[in-house]
Amino acid sequence: MATTTTGRRPLTTAPTNTREDAPAVDASGETGTGFAARVSLGRVFAPVPSEFLLIASTALILTGFGLMMVLSATMATSVAAGDSPFEVVMKQAAFAIIGIPLMFLCSRMPVRFWKKIAWPALILATLFQLLVFIPGLGVTNDGNQNWIQIAGFQAQPSEFLKLSLALWLGYVLYRKQSLLRSWKHVFIPVVPVGGLVIGLVAVGSHDLGTGLILMAILLGCLFFSGVRLRMFLVPLLLVIFAAVYFAVTSPNRMARIMSSLVNFDSTACYNAAVGDCYQAVHGVWALANGGLFGLGLGNSREKYGWLPAKSNDYIFAILGEELGLIGCAVVLVLFTLFAVGAFHIIRKTHDPFIRIVSGGIIVWIVGQAIVNMGVVLRLFPVLGVPLPFLSQGGTSLLSVLLACGVLLSFARTLPQPPAAAPAVAAPARRVR
């Protein structure tokens, strides 16, 4: 090596790269993509907040629990009809297989994505709901025309209205945060558009149960938006008036409401094979048969033709009969943990949009679960709303999993507490 005039060799220092995103250099001197790949994998496997883990785990456990109960509730009637005992649960599992990956895909979406699709989602969901009024597509079931059937596939469009309405309300109220002290900015366009969406379901499709859930979502979003109490009371009174009006103007609904007030000792409940209180009575009998520990998984007696809606609206009764009070308590605990995770998002976030949408979703899922269990316990009249995650119904399960994906997306944005600095050991003192 050449030397300088002083006879000393020059100091040779390897070139250093202070940029963290610099490309890696291999032995041949060519740049590689190893570091970029490590960065990408690091983002995928980055730690997530505890709220994310709580909501995701409870959603997955409840979905698995629901598949197990749908199988147990339907296998006897499927075999009696000459079909495979797994005929119904495989259809439900197909929606779970689609919905769970979609849930985690939605969890990767940024908040600005949900703000951008709020209006398009509500418009598309409303157009989807209008399909029930087309002859040949709309299907009537128990007096409700709230289903469509295409090529043997049956779906309930109103389930997607729940999530799209929560997103739309969150976006509109978020944009009007500084104007919510004014009556006109609170009610327009929330009340007209919300009334249109609810009217399509409650009036057009005669589905009061789903209409009440949509009303609850609207009230929940208004509440979590921070509007003044006197402004919140007016929509609340409108919702109560609309619910009472829809109930008293329908003989079928009034019959179901009155049946919930009939005493079990009445002759009508005991002797009517298909009376108004027949299903309510057998639902309570199923819970009574279960006792504390239940009859055992698959050993329900009411599912053998006694309880007509055993796999959807009254799945909680079959659960109580087979798994007893212990099984019912486990489901209640899971829904409670789900609600705790969602309320932590509401409490910790600084974004009004996240707070409003999360409030609407939690009112929808937990409120619908409370209504369904209350119907089985005969605390409420039969409203025909499924138990989230557990009841048979592919579109219901899919919409709930998508809503969970939105909550998981919001959970990723929560501020995390700063990591504790590592303790620095004091230098050892020299002993002379």
Side-chain angles (χ1 to χ4, degrees):
M1 178 180 294
T3 61
T4 62
T5 56
T6 59
R8 296 180 181 177
R9 294 183 179 181
L11 295 176
T12 57
T13 57
T16 59
N17 199 327
T18 59
R19 291 184 57 188
E20 294 183 356
D21 57 346
V25 181
D26 58 12
S28 63
E30 297 180 355
T31 60
T33 59
F35 191 80
R38 288 196 298 272
V39 171
S40 299
L41 288 176
R43 291 175 180 175
V44 171
F45 296 104
V48 292
S50 58
E51 292 80 9
F52 183 100
L53 297 176
L54 190 60
I55 293 173
S57 58
T58 51
L60 293 176
I61 294 173
L62 284 169
T63 301
F65 213 106
L67 293 176
M68 179 181 68
M69 293 311 305
V70 168
L71 172 62
S72 178
T74 59
M75 60 189 309
T77 52
S78 296
V79 171
D83 298 325
S84 168
F86 306 101
E87 178 74 18
V88 177
V89 74
M90 289 304 293
K91 296 179 181 178
Q92 185 80 354
F95 284 95
I97 293 172
I98 297 172
I100 291 175
L102 282 178
M103 178 180 72
F104 288 107
L105 178 63
C106 291
S107 73
R108 307 296 303 183
M109 297 299 176
V111 176
R112 63 179 181 273
F113 170 79
W114 302 114
K115 293 178 181 178
K116 288 181 179 179
I117 70 166
W119 271 102
L122 183 66
I123 294 173
L124 291 176
T126 304
L127 294 176
F128 192 34
Q129 175 65 25
L130 291 175
L131 294 180
V132 302
F133 303 109
I134 299 178
L137 290 180
V139 177
T140 302
N141 187 8
D142 293 333
N144 298 340
Q145 189 175 348
N146 206 19
W147 285 263
I148 60 171
Q149 186 167 359
I150 303 175
F153 173 77
Q154 194 168 350
Q156 190 173 358
S158 60
E159 291 295 330
F160 298 108
L161 275 175
K162 299 173 182 177
L163 177 58
S164 60
L165 181 63
L167 288 172
W168 180 82
L169 287 168
Y171 180 71
V172 169
L173 295 172
Y174 154 76
R175 292 294 301 270
K176 294 191 171 190
Q177 275 293 295
S178 60
L179 304 172
L180 293 182
R181 293 178 179 271
S182 173
W183 287 86
K184 63 179 181 180
H185 287 291
V186 172
F187 293 158
I188 299 175
V190 170
V191 173
V193 176
L196 173 64
V197 171
I198 296 169
L200 284 176
V201 177
V203 180
S205 302
H206 308 289
D207 188 353
L208 181 59
T210 304
L212 289 175
I213 298 300
L214 292 172
M215 295 177 193
I217 293 173
L218 190 148
L219 292 176
C221 290
L222 283 174
F223 178 81
F224 287 103
S225 68
V227 298
R228 293 184 175 183
L229 182 60
R230 64 174 181 269
M231 296 184 185
F232 178 77
L233 288 176
V234 175
L236 177 61
L237 294 175
L238 289 175
V239 166
I240 295 175
F241 174 78
V244 173
Y245 174 78
F246 293 146
V248 299
T249 55
S250 172
N252 183 29
R253 296 185 189 122
M254 282 302 299
R256 286 187 290 177
I257 293 173
M258 296 306 298
S259 67
S260 64
L261 304 176
V262 175
N263 194 332
F264 276 6
D265 295 333
S266 66
T267 307
C269 278
Y270 277 116
N271 295 338
V274 290
D276 295 324
C277 57
Y278 171 81
Q279 188 156 242
V281 170
H282 281 273
V284 175
W285 284 354
L287 294 174
N289 290 336
L292 182 60
F293 298 103
L295 302 178
L297 189 62
N299 293 329
S300 169
R301 300 166 185 168
E302 293 290 338
K303 69 181 181 181
Y304 289 95
W306 296 105
L307 198 56
K310 55 187 175 296
S311 61
N312 37 60
D313 295 350
Y314 275 80
I315 191 75
F316 190 70
I318 302 299
L319 186 152
E321 186 179 14
E322 295 188 348
L323 302 181
L325 180 62
I326 302 298
C328 294
V330 169
V331 172
L332 288 172
V333 169
L334 289 173
F335 275 110
T336 302
L337 292 176
F338 180 87
V340 168
F343 277 117
H344 276 199
I345 295 176
I346 296 172
R347 182 176 62 87
K348 292 182 179 181
T349 187
H350 302 297
D351 190 338
F353 173 78
I354 294 178
R355 183 174 63 251
I356 297 168
V357 177
S358 300
I361 291 175
I362 197 63
V363 167
W364 156 28
I365 295 178
V366 176
Q368 186 169 309
I370 292 174
V371 170
N372 180 277
M373 296 176 191
V375 168
V376 175
L377 293 170
R378 217 162 173 256
L379 299 176
F380 304 127
V382 179
L383 295 174
V385 294
L387 183 60
F389 298 106
L390 276 76
S391 291
Q392 177 192 351
T395 48
S396 174
L397 177 61
L398 186 59
S399 65
V400 169
L401 289 175
L402 289 175
C404 291
V406 175
L407 290 178
L408 296 179
S409 173
F410 294 163
R412 290 183 182 273
T413 66
L414 296 180
Q416 297 300 306
V424 179
R429 299 182 61 181
R430 297 179 61 182
V431 180
R432 296 181 179 180

